[in-house]
Amino acid sequence: MTCFALVDCNNFYASCEKLFRPDLKHTPVVVLSNNDGCVVARSKEVKQLGIKMGGPFFKLQDEVKQYGIVAFSSNYALYADISNRVMTTLEELSPKMEVYSIDEAFLDLIGVSHCCGLTEFGQQIRQTIYQWVGISVGVGIAPTKTLAKLANHAAKNYPATQGVVDLTNPARQRKLMAITPVEEVWGVGRQLSKHLTAIGIDTALKLADAEPGWIKKQFNIVLERTVRELNGQSCLKLDDVTPLKKQIISSRSFGERITDKHLMEEAIASYAARATEKLRQQKQFARSLTVFIRTNPFSETESYYSNSATYQFPIPTDDTRDMLGHARALLEMIWRQGYRYMKGGVMLADFYDAGVYQPDLFCDFTVRDNCKPLMQVLDKINHSGKGKVWFAGEGITKNWSMKREHLSPAYTTNWKDLPVVK
């Protein structure tokens, strides 16, 4: 019989910010999106105030003053490092694991029940991660991944569970599903839940009791699989290898509107360099490069303009120099003077593994000499933490970069930002 555990970090981004700020232990904290625009993460204190996800931060200034809410700009370098520590700890606790997202992982618990109780093991996971990393997690245990998600939801929302719910007992499964709204079921989105509610399926239990064949006919095979999973039939296996991305997009809204073509060239070059670095990290080569730019689609006072252009390389490449040269040419094709640009970016696609592409016999494209060792040196320097090198086309001042007025220090990835104990 299969047995999964879903381990999910509580209020992850806000918890990372509080980790090195014990003075904020009981303070409401929000984390903001790019350019400090919207709320993308909340501490439990903020949730208790009823502040919603996705709300514009400038509209919360009264609540900020009234409740003393502390805001942070998104610090993804910090979150990625803390996530890596959590996942490394989980790897030591379970022989097989699937990293589902930056703050969630599924564990295979087959055989664990022969050694200790599953709830006891869940508590060991919680205590170990909190002791080693300082992050609080919830643990849901069940025979299928969908039920494990449901168990985790209960572990987080019912304090009496002490953060761990074992849902291997069918009677407990039905009891929990009877009080769980259908929109809380994994894979049931907002629109689908409205449709289900309209036909009388408003709880997880009613969805579980629906006839699978009828669900497949009325909706799709994905929802039919969800019904089977709610009834304890495991349809989703553990993926222990993270699938490679089929496209890479590097894009951000600018901190200030761009009207100068040279600044846009710097921004596009910077995004192209970052995307190519990610491409090399997954050891692949791209044949397609797309550059896109646009103004603010919601402005009532400015004209809207959006455009993109794509180049197909004769031979797939992972050389940043190839990307920069053609990204600049593509921008030249789509640039229109007189607009105030809000966003730009690049997309890489059509990926190949090394040595598997058959080039055109008459292709005159040649790979640059020493491309591979040069890119390896570039990445090694930039990943070492000892310094950073970049191409001149990316600019130096980067005045176009996004606003991050509330950015916390890089506590775990920069020696200069290490906390000082007095």
Side-chain angles (χ1 to χ4, degrees):
M1 180 181 175
T2 55
C3 187
F4 299 97
L6 176 64
V7 182
D8 189 2
C9 300
N10 297 329
N11 316 310
F12 183 57
Y13 290 178
S15 297
C16 290
E17 296 293 353
K18 287 190 172 192
L19 191 56
F20 294 93
R21 290 289 304 275
D23 57 309
L24 299 180
K25 184 175 181 180
H26 301 296
T27 302
V29 165
V30 295
V31 177
L32 307 177
S33 61
N34 295 331
N35 287 317
D36 296 341
C38 301
V39 174
V40 295
R42 304 162 295 166
S43 68
K44 64 178 182 181
E45 295 85 3
V46 173
K47 292 179 180 177
Q48 290 168 355
L49 293 173
I51 293 174
K52 303 295 184 185
M53 281 281 283
F57 183 57
F58 74 89
K59 290 186 176 180
L60 297 176
Q61 296 311 302
D62 291 340
E63 288 85 348
V64 169
K65 293 178 181 177
Q66 182 178 356
Y67 301 112
I69 297 173
V70 176
F72 289 94
S73 304
S74 299
N75 187 344
Y76 293 112
L78 174 66
Y79 311 150
D81 186 71
I82 300 299
S83 171
N84 184 50
R85 296 176 189 221
V86 171
M87 300 307 169
T88 302
T89 304
L90 288 175
E91 279 182 330
E92 295 194 20
L93 299 172
S94 173
K96 202 171 181 182
M97 180 179 81
E98 174 192 344
V99 178
Y100 181 66
S101 66
I102 192 171
D103 60 348
E104 290 178 279
F106 285 103
L107 306 181
D108 186 344
L109 299 190
I110 290 180
V112 170
S113 59
H114 298 304
C115 306
C116 65
L118 291 173
T119 301
E120 179 187 350
F121 185 70
Q123 290 295 347
Q124 288 180 12
I125 291 174
R126 274 173 52 83
Q127 292 163 9
T128 304
I129 292 178
Y130 191 77
Q131 183 178 357
W132 291 10
V133 189
I135 294 293
S136 172
V137 302
V139 182
I141 300 169
T144 71
K145 294 172 82 172
T146 302
L147 284 171
K149 270 275 193 183
L150 209 60
N152 190 281
H153 175 74
K156 287 192 167 186
N157 287 278
Y158 299 110
T161 64
Q162 297 183 323
V164 179
V165 169
D166 174 7
L167 214 57
T168 52
N169 183 299
R172 293 195 73 191
Q173 294 168 14
R174 293 187 66 80
K175 187 177 179 181
L176 177 61
M177 286 193 289
I179 60 172
T180 303
V182 70
E183 59 262 30
E184 298 296 342
V185 175
W186 190 29
V188 177
R190 184 177 301 176
Q191 293 303 320
L192 181 55
S193 67
K194 288 181 180 177
H195 194 168
L196 288 168
T197 302
I199 59 175
I201 301 176
D202 57 354
T203 67
L205 184 60
K206 290 181 180 177
L207 180 60
D209 287 341
E211 203 282 316
W214 182 82
I215 288 290
K216 180 181 178 181
K217 187 175 180 181
Q218 295 297 317
F219 297 92
N220 51 50
I221 193 171
V222 176
L223 192 61
E224 180 213 15
R225 193 165 55 191
T226 298
V227 172
R228 295 187 186 280
E229 286 247 319
L230 288 175
N231 284 284
Q233 180 181 347
S234 180
C235 303
L236 303 172
K237 307 303 180 186
L238 206 65
D239 296 325
D240 51 3
V241 178
T242 304
L244 295 176
K245 294 179 180 178
K246 296 182 178 179
Q247 64 179 25
I248 295 174
I249 298 176
S250 182
S251 171
R252 290 282 189 279
S253 296
F254 304 125
E256 303 288 345
R257 298 290 188 269
I258 286 184
T259 57
D260 184 273
K261 184 180 175 184
H262 177 66
L263 290 180
M264 182 65 85
E265 288 174 344
E266 287 186 357
I268 294 299
S270 183
Y271 295 146
R274 178 62 183 141
T276 313
E277 183 182 338
K278 291 181 179 177
L279 181 70
R280 289 193 293 270
Q281 286 176 352
Q282 65 178 37
K283 303 184 187 307
Q284 289 197 300
F285 296 74
R287 188 159 178 258
S288 174
L289 166 67
T290 298
V291 172
F292 56 90
I293 54 175
R294 70 168 170 82
T295 59
N296 184 358
F298 304 107
S299 175
E300 297 178 352
T301 59
E302 299 176 8
S303 300
Y304 178 64
Y305 174 72
S306 174
N307 206 348
S308 64
T310 299
Y311 177 75
Q312 294 282 334
F313 290 96
I315 297 176
T317 179
D318 68 345
D319 190 325
T320 301
R321 296 168 295 176
D322 294 335
M323 298 294 182
L324 295 188
H326 288 286
R328 187 168 186 167
L330 292 173
L331 177 62
E332 182 71 32
M333 295 167 57
I334 60 177
W335 175 263
R336 297 291 182 273
Q337 192 66 36
Y339 290 99
R340 285 163 42 84
Y341 292 95
M342 175 187 179
K343 191 170 186 176
V346 304
M347 181 179 76
L348 305 183
D350 197 8
F351 294 165
Y352 294 84
D353 293 328
V356 300
Y357 181 74
Q358 179 65 49
D360 187 330
L361 181 63
F362 303 104
C363 171
D364 59 358
F365 184 87
T366 55
V367 179
R368 299 169 190 256
D369 293 336
N370 298 319
C371 165
K372 185 175 181 179
L374 176 60
M375 292 300 118
Q376 287 177 337
V377 169
L378 187 72
D379 293 339
K380 187 175 182 179
I381 293 173
N382 288 337
H383 296 164
S384 67
K386 297 178 180 178
K388 192 169 181 63
V389 293
W390 64 90
F391 290 87
E394 300 177 51
I396 297 175
T397 57
K398 300 184 189 298
N399 294 328
W400 43 268
S401 61
M402 59 184 176
K403 290 181 182 176
R404 303 177 84 183
E405 296 176 347
H406 308 283
L407 186 65
S408 55
Y411 296 109
T412 60
T413 54
N414 190 331
W415 287 108
K416 296 178 181 177
D417 288 349
L418 279 176
V420 177
V421 178
K422 296 180 180 178

